[in-house]
Structure formats: C-alpha cells, structure tokens
Amino acid sequence: MKERGNFGSKLGIVLATAGSAVGLGNIWRFPYMTGENGGAAFILFYIGCIFVLGLPGMISEFIVGRHAQTNAARAYDTLSNGKPWKLVGYLGILTSTIILGFYAVVAGWCLQYVYAAMAGKLVGDAAFVKTYFVTFSSHPLRPVLCGVAFVLITHIVIVNGVQKGIERASKWLMPILFVLLLVLVTASCALPGSMEGVRFLLQPDFSKLSNKVMLDALGQAFFSLSLGTACLCTYASYFTKETNLLRSAGQIVMLDTMIAIFAGLMIFPAAFSVGISPDSGPSLIFITLPNVFQQAFVGMPQVGWVISVMFYALLVFAALTSTISMHEIGTAFFTEEFHLRRRHAAWVITILASALCLFCSWSVGAFDIQLLGYSLMDFCDLLTANFMLPLGGMLACLFVGWYIPRQLVYDEFTNGGQCNKWFFLTFLFAVRYICPLAITLVFLHQLGWI
Ligand code: PFF
C-alpha cells in the first residue's frame, strides 16, 4: 500500500482537529440552540455532556484511528478481526457525508452573506433584511450554486493532501478565526446594555431544563466535537505514535467549548443591547443579526459594515475547516478501500455531497421536500445530530471499553505507560459505563419510555 499522509507537527494536529470541531456548530448552531432552550441552564448541561461524554468519546475514536492507521471502516474491521464492528465505521462515513450535504447549504449562505455584507446589501429595515434572506434562500439556483461552490472549495483543499491541504489550511484559518472572534466579542460587549446578554448566558434558570433541552444539549455536544462521525478516528490515523491522546483531546475540547461560549458572547450582548430576542432559531444569524449590526452601530455605519463583513467571513472560515474534515472521512475511505487516486476519491464525495446539498437547499427554499413532517434539511440535521452521532459515539465507547484488548487501549491511551494510571482507569470507567448508560437514558427518555 502507498505511504499514508501524516500531520507534520503537534500544532498541526491540534489545529486541524480543533478546526474540525470548531465550525458552524459553534457559531451558528450553539447560539440559536442556547437562545431557543433558555440560555445558561442549557449551557451547563451542554458543558456536562462535553466533559463527561464528549472527552472520553473523543479519546475512544482517537485510540481506534491512531492504532489502526487507516480509514474508519478498515480501522474498526482490523481491530475486530472482521466482526461486524466495521459497520460503526460505515455509519460514521455515511453520517459525515449527510452532514456535509446540509452543512454546505448553510456554509453557502455564509459565502453569499460575505458578498452581501461587503456590497452593503444588508442595509435596510427589519422587513427588508428578512425579505433579502427569504428571496435569496428560496431562489432555485443561487443558494445551490453557493453551497456547491463551498463543496468545491473544500475539494481543492482535500486533493492537496493531509499536510499540504488539511494541515496548511488549518494553520492559516484557525488563527484568523480567533482574531476575528476576539474583535467581535469585544465590540459586542462594549455596546450599551450588553450586560443583559452576558447575564442570559451565565445565569442558569433550571426551570427551563426539559427533555428536549437535554437531548438538544447532547446532540449539540456531539455535533460540536465532530463525535460519532468517524472524523476523529480518521484524523487520528494521521497522528504520530508520539501524540499524547489525552492532552490533545483535552486541548481540543477546551478550545471548542471556549469558542462556542465566545460565539454566545459575540451574539447575545449585541442582540440584547438593541432589544432583539435571540431565540429566533436557525435564521438568527441571517435575519436577526444583520439588524442587530445596523442598530448597534447606528451612528457609525462604517463600523457596522466592517463588523458584519468580519462576522460572515468568520463563519466561512469556521465552516471550511469543518467541511474539510467531513470530506476527508469519505475521501480516505474511497482512496484506501477502492484503490482510487486521492483526487478521484474526492470527486465521489464532492458529487454525493453536492447532490444532497441541492435537495436540502431546495427543501428550505424553492420546493417543498419533506420527510416525516420536516423539511429534508431539518430532517438530516435532526437525524444526524440527535440520533446518528450519539449512536456512533456510544458504539465507539463500547468498542473501546469492552471489545478490544485492554492492554491495547492502555498502550494507546498512555503511549506505552507514559501517563498516570488513574487517568486511564477513569477513562475506562467512563467509556464502559457512564457514556453508554447516559446516552441510552437520553434515547429512552426521548422515546418517552422513561
Ligand atoms: N463539529 C463541526 C461543527 O461544530 O460545526 C461539525 C462537524 C464536523 C460534524 C465534522 C461532523 C463532522 F464529521
């Protein structure tokens, strides 16, 4: 077999994997979920899910990928000696391709909004901004072209390979993303009346915790960490044997959570300062925020212009580092399993994702495409985030906790004994009992059985 690519440095590993985790999930999905689910109580539960379930789940996927050094399906296959565990890998590949399809729709909207913000097309009253979004998103062609353009940009990075494509792009995009985010948080929190928004984010109201809030928080935690999609497993197959899995996972989880909270600190203070309710669902960033930017900087239109261009550019960069990782899962699979050249394998995923993007885009715009009462786009989002990801994550934990030899798990976790035994035992307890139990409980609760 041909020599596989590897990430070239520790920084590259953390930035690329954090790039997968940090995306529209943090900057688009997390704020609107928080807004819809009542603020700080949701966040607390979310943080609980991240650390108690997400961190062990992430390390489990790392262990499988780093040990097997191959694509997700083959990794589970090799470690289980041909038992049906490879289905976990297939599930992950399928999930990530579905996510890429609907994610590209929103990423495409962001691309259009960078242009719209630059060209000053988002200036007008609330009704005008809403009409702009509705007209654009329901056009049969324009949003589709933007979505497909996004998949093609991702394709270009992917065909350049692991180090020259993925790692290099992450090393550029992630620092830019931080700087943009910091500037925007500062501008938002400096607005008069912004503290109300900070309070909304930080003061929990537990009466808001419900069945739905908990499932949403779990789904959001998995979505945000790219867990259960085999993405982490695929990226870990490019780690080196020296990579400290616990430390890397800790850094990535912290970074991802910090960026989600910062995204909240960027959006809520600005929204509260102009008295706009932040619970407007997915359209929050395309309908509510352009209004917020205008009203917040009413006497300084140039500042409003700069802020909105920066905001949509931030979304595009964040989305790109994530779409790259979703694309890579399938590309690695087709390259290695079907012995295709990398660029041919990449086309397979690009075409599949573009086709799904087309139908998802139509389903929330030009045509009424529904499944079980949801638009195709919402259906894909709910199916993956609330079902396929937790299931994939749970199976990864069960696989590592119960199926593969404990010595192998120990060696991978501790890099051959170089780490405190108690960390390992805590991890093992979490993947054996806590994660499977907690995820099963949330599922049963959702089905109304408990
Ligand atoms: N974690 C990404 C986000 O928060 O936007 C979404 C994601 C990336 C999901 C990669 C799944 C995946 F495989």
Side-chain angles (χ1 to χ4, degrees), residues 17-29 46 92 95-97 99-100 103 220-232 256 318-319 321-327 329 389:
T17 318
S20 163
V22 173
L24 294 177
N26 304 60
I27 301 169
W28 167 65
R29 213 169 178 277
Y46 169 80
T95 312
S96 60
T97 311
I99 299 182
L100 180 56
Y103 201 90
Q220 174 61 22
F222 277 65
F223 188 86
S224 189
L225 294 179
S226 314
L227 214 101
T229 57
C231 166
L232 302 170
D256 186 67
T321 51
S322 294
T323 52
I324 291 171
S325 72
M326 295 169 209
H327 202 301
I329 306 171
L389 298 185

Side-chain angles (χ1 to χ4, degrees), residues 374-394:
Y374 294 100
S375 67
L376 180 65
M377 169 119 161
D378 288 347
F379 178 82
C380 290
D381 183 6
L382 282 177
L383 175 74
T384 50
N386 287 6
F387 184 71
M388 293 170 89
L389 298 185
L391 181 67
M394 178 164 89

Side-chain angles (χ1 to χ4, degrees), residues 196-217:
E196 196 54 36
V198 177
R199 218 165 291 133
F200 176 77
L201 270 183
L202 302 182
Q203 245 176 33
D205 171 2
F206 290 105
S207 65
K208 298 259 168 63
L209 268 190
S210 66
N211 174 3
K212 173 180 178 295
V213 172
M214 281 163 26
L215 189 78
D216 278 354

Side-chain angles (χ1 to χ4, degrees), residues 348-425:
V348 177
I349 297 297
T350 297
I351 291 169
L352 288 175
S354 300
L356 187 60
C357 168
L358 168 85
F359 290 108
C360 283
S361 175
W362 279 349
S363 78
V364 285
F367 304 104
D368 188 24
I369 307 173
Q370 291 205 358
L371 265 179
L372 302 178
Y374 294 100
S375 67
L376 180 65
M377 169 119 161
D378 288 347
F379 178 82
C380 290
D381 183 6
L382 282 177
L383 175 74
T384 50
N386 287 6
F387 184 71
M388 293 170 89
L389 298 185
L391 181 67
M394 178 164 89
L395 291 172
C397 289
L398 288 173
F399 185 64
V400 169
W402 294 102
Y403 192 80
I404 52 180
R406 184 186 160 126
Q407 185 62 40
L408 187 158
V409 179
Y410 177 79
D411 286 344
E412 285 296 335
F413 185 93
T414 61
N415 277 1
Q418 294 172 30
C419 153
N420 188 317
K421 200 171 112 211
W422 287 104
F423 285 153
F424 172 67
L425 292 177

Side-chain angles (χ1 to χ4, degrees), residues 205-265:
D205 171 2
F206 290 105
S207 65
K208 298 259 168 63
L209 268 190
S210 66
N211 174 3
K212 173 180 178 295
V213 172
M214 281 163 26
L215 189 78
D216 278 354
L218 178 76
Q220 174 61 22
F222 277 65
F223 188 86
S224 189
L225 294 179
S226 314
L227 214 101
T229 57
C231 166
L232 302 170
C233 174
T234 307
Y235 268 22
S237 72
Y238 306 128
F239 289 5
T240 62
K241 285 289 170 204
E242 286 74 45
T243 308
N244 182 326
L245 299 187
L246 175 63
R247 187 179 311 140
S248 308
Q251 286 166 343
I252 292 157
V253 165
M254 296 290 281
L255 219 61
D256 186 67
T257 311
M258 203 175 80
I259 291 189
I261 307 263
F262 272 26
L265 283 175

